[in-house]
Amino acid sequence: MLRAGAAGAVRTLVGGPPRRALKLVARGTAHSPGGPSSSKHPLERQSSMEGLEVQQNPPELVPQAEAAWQWFNGMGAPKFWVAPMVDQSELAFRQLCRRHGATGAYTPMLHARLFLETPAYRAEHFTTDTQDRPLLAQFCANDPDTLLAAARLVEGYVDGVDLNLGCPQRIAKRGKYGAFLMDDLPLVERMVRTLVGGLSVPVTVKIRRFPCVKRTVEYALMLERAGASLLAIHGRTREQKRASEVRAEWEHIRAVKQALRIPVLGNGNIRTLADCHALMDATGVDGVMSAESLLADPALFSARRLQPGGEFGHLDGCHLLLEYCDLLDLHPTPWRMVKGHAFQLLGPWLTEFTDLRERLNKSHDGWDGEKLRELTLEVLERIEATGRTHPVPAISARQLARMEAEAARQRAIEEQAREEQGLAALQGGNGEGCGDGCAAVAAAEAQPKHGLQQPVEQPSAGEEQRQAALAGA
């Protein structure tokens, strides 16, 4: 039976470390974020401010703080979180990550209005079971009442409801949600307060930083006053969409952690388990989350990654994908989601075995876990036959980049079209769903339904939203 409470007994520790007003003194005056090639630790680069006086919210303005720590510690004080990733943090993948060290997870980002009004969207995008805990359901929205109504549909199946305030992609700008709500903070506060007042589970938020530390901290303090019980912060701004182009600023994460009375998670510059510990040590956060790096190595959080010989090896992608195929037998998953994971885990070797890359690229909804298992075993056999631990690409890096960019562009176009089609159908329908003629709903309803069998709809959430998640939205 699905349940709403957190797993495990509530521990006696109900508060974080002692808090006090703090002063952050920067080492310099210029903002120097550094690029992917920077060798400096994120806290060793120059700060965006010469100095910053940070006052915590008075205790009486954060009445949820003690309960927030009870809730967090009652879940086992989870440190290693699977980030919300559109079309990629679905149940089967969450369970794979949990088998290998993840101690908490988010659902994919859910569009509140589509989730509320179109049953096929819910059936496809929200699935869970009793082993899938702790779990936070993340929504994007710009209307407090719609957000609350959607969240009420899942509150009995999750440990908390999260508001996405970090999606930096164009689709979020057009829809006025995610990081673009940073331009309307009164609306953000209303949405959080509405959730807090109307739900039986804690409310959490995931944000991106502002360019300056002071404004980032003020933003976080406002969300805490609004009633948030946990805050996750990404160390990049909404303009910094690609992790490969600019490093996240841990300075902002540290300042937010020191200012808040509720649990804080950090996100950004996570490539290995050692990076996770470095982020926690440098900022004091209570946990970390990963997106893109987990897609490449779902066992990133496993303790064996820190042991001699336990690093990600040349056959690990195949073995993890085979394990994922086993989970697909338990948790049927739309093929486009499965296909994305296959490319992530086999990708490097598919640059050499281009015939297998083409076969996977042309795969369709008729494929299943068994067909993917057969392809993965063939990749594994070919790798072993080479006697090498690295691929020898048959296509140039430039050509591969062009192919991947075009594929990403096409997926973004398709996802934008799906969202617009779903919303247009709602506006023109009878108020009970997408109505007749909604191809998006028809496609979603054709998918196998599993997990929560309540109202639900629309398909996918393609590359543009997916890239937001991969950037740590």
Side-chain angles (χ1 to χ4, degrees):
M1 179 178 180
L2 298 178
R3 54 190 172 77
V10 176
R11 299 183 180 180
T12 56
L13 176 64
V14 296
R19 307 302 176 95
R20 61 184 183 279
L22 58 107
K23 185 174 183 179
L24 302 180
V25 180
R27 297 178 177 84
T29 58
H31 178 56
S32 178
S37 61
S38 172
S39 61
K40 290 187 177 181
H41 187 285
L43 289 178
E44 292 176 348
R45 296 191 301 277
Q46 291 180 315
S47 169
S48 56
M49 304 184 68
E50 290 189 359
L52 173 67
E53 191 78 36
V54 178
Q55 294 290 335
Q56 286 187 296
N57 283 317
E60 60 271 20
L61 295 184
V62 194
Q64 79 277 16
E66 182 173 336
W69 282 102
Q70 286 181 324
W71 165 73
F72 186 74
N73 289 315
M75 294 188 294
K79 291 183 178 180
F80 303 116
W81 289 79
V82 180
M85 295 177 282
V86 174
D87 268 8
Q88 298 286 259
S89 62
E90 84 290 348
L91 176 58
F93 184 75
R94 295 196 300 267
Q95 294 296 62
L96 179 63
C97 294
R98 290 183 194 277
R99 287 184 176 186
H100 295 279
T103 51
Y106 289 71
T107 68
M109 184 182 75
L110 306 168
H111 190 290
R113 188 180 175 198
L114 291 173
F115 193 88
L116 174 65
E117 300 186 35
T118 48
Y121 184 94
R122 289 198 298 277
E124 180 175 81
H125 291 282
F126 181 79
T127 57
T128 188
D129 64 20
T130 55
Q131 304 302 310
D132 186 30
R133 309 302 285 271
L135 179 66
L136 303 181
Q138 187 189 76
F139 288 91
C140 67
N142 57 27
D143 178 79
D145 295 334
T146 299
L147 173 61
L148 176 59
R152 281 176 169 166
L153 294 176
V154 303
E155 65 177 327
Y157 301 90
V158 297
D159 296 288
V161 169
D162 186 77
L163 177 59
N164 182 314
L165 299 171
C167 180
Q169 301 301 318
R170 182 175 54 192
I171 194 171
K173 184 175 184 179
R174 293 179 65 173
K176 193 186 177 184
Y177 57 77
F180 296 94
L181 290 173
M182 295 167 77
D183 297 329
D184 191 349
L185 296 187
L187 174 58
V188 170
E189 183 173 3
R190 288 200 307 275
M191 288 199 294
V192 175
R193 289 188 181 277
T194 297
L195 285 179
V196 171
L199 294 178
S200 61
V201 294
V203 174
T204 70
V205 291
K206 187 172 188 299
I207 69 172
R208 282 188 170 239
R209 69 175 179 87
F210 281 99
C212 77
V213 177
K214 181 174 184 293
R215 196 171 181 198
T216 300
V217 171
E218 289 172 346
Y219 183 29
L221 289 170
M222 179 273 284
L223 292 166
E224 184 183 58
R225 290 194 302 273
S229 292
L230 177 145
L231 182 143
I233 174 172
H234 194 298
R236 295 184 181 87
T237 68
R238 72 183 183 194
E239 290 75 28
Q240 297 168 337
K241 299 178 184 180
R242 299 184 183 278
S244 61
E245 295 176 356
V246 61
R247 291 179 62 82
E249 290 286 356
W250 288 2
E251 160 196 355
H252 290 247
I253 299 174
R254 179 178 61 176
V256 166
K257 171 56 187 172
Q258 292 177 324
L260 297 191
R261 299 177 182 275
I262 59 175
V264 175
L265 305 180
N267 183 207
N269 302 344
I270 299 297
R271 292 289 180 268
T272 66
L273 182 56
D275 292 336
C276 296
H277 289 293
L279 174 55
M280 288 187 283
D281 290 344
T283 65
V285 292
D286 306 290
V288 299
M289 66 169 58
S290 177
E292 186 174 4
S293 296
L294 266 183
L295 293 176
D297 179 13
L300 181 148
F301 292 138
S302 173
R304 71 176 182 274
R305 288 290 182 249
L306 294 179
Q307 299 170 358
E311 64 276 1
F312 188 86
H314 67 292
L315 300 179
D316 280 10
C318 291
H319 290 306
L320 287 164
L321 187 55
L322 289 172
E323 190 174 350
Y324 177 69
C325 288
D326 293 339
L327 287 165
L328 293 177
D329 295 338
L330 301 174
H331 310 298
T333 302
W335 179 249
R336 70 177 184 281
M337 302 180 187
V338 176
K339 186 175 179 178
H341 290 302
F343 270 110
Q344 286 283 344
L345 292 170
L346 301 178
W349 287 99
L350 294 181
T351 63
E352 178 170 346
F353 310 136
T354 54
D355 59 321
L356 298 184
R357 175 187 175 86
E358 186 64 13
R359 190 192 309 175
L360 181 59
N361 193 45
K362 290 182 177 180
S363 64
H364 49 75
D365 289 346
W367 276 52
D368 56 16
E370 187 56 37
K371 286 189 175 181
L372 179 59
R373 188 178 286 110
E374 292 173 2
L375 183 140
T376 305
L377 288 171
E378 185 170 352
V379 173
L380 186 60
E381 182 179 350
R382 290 195 191 184
I383 293 174
E384 292 174 333
T386 68
R388 289 183 269 105
T389 59
H390 60 278
V392 176
I395 53 180
S396 69
R398 179 174 297 182
Q399 181 182 2
L400 178 63
R402 283 199 304 267
M403 293 166 59
E404 292 180 341
E406 176 57 28
R409 188 184 72 85
Q410 186 59 39
R411 287 191 292 269
I413 291 172
E414 292 171 358
E415 170 53 25
Q416 181 71 56
R418 278 192 293 267
E419 182 172 305
E420 291 177 350
Q421 182 182 35
L423 293 173
L426 289 176
Q427 293 165 359
N430 58 15
E432 297 178 353
C434 275
D436 294 336
C438 179
V441 174
E445 288 179 337
Q447 296 288 345
K449 296 176 177 59
H450 47 286
L452 175 62
Q453 294 301 312
Q454 289 186 6
V456 318
E457 179 268 38
Q458 203 224 24
S460 164
E463 186 65 15
E464 195 151 321
Q465 282 186 333
R466 177 174 170 274
Q467 286 299 325
L470 298 184

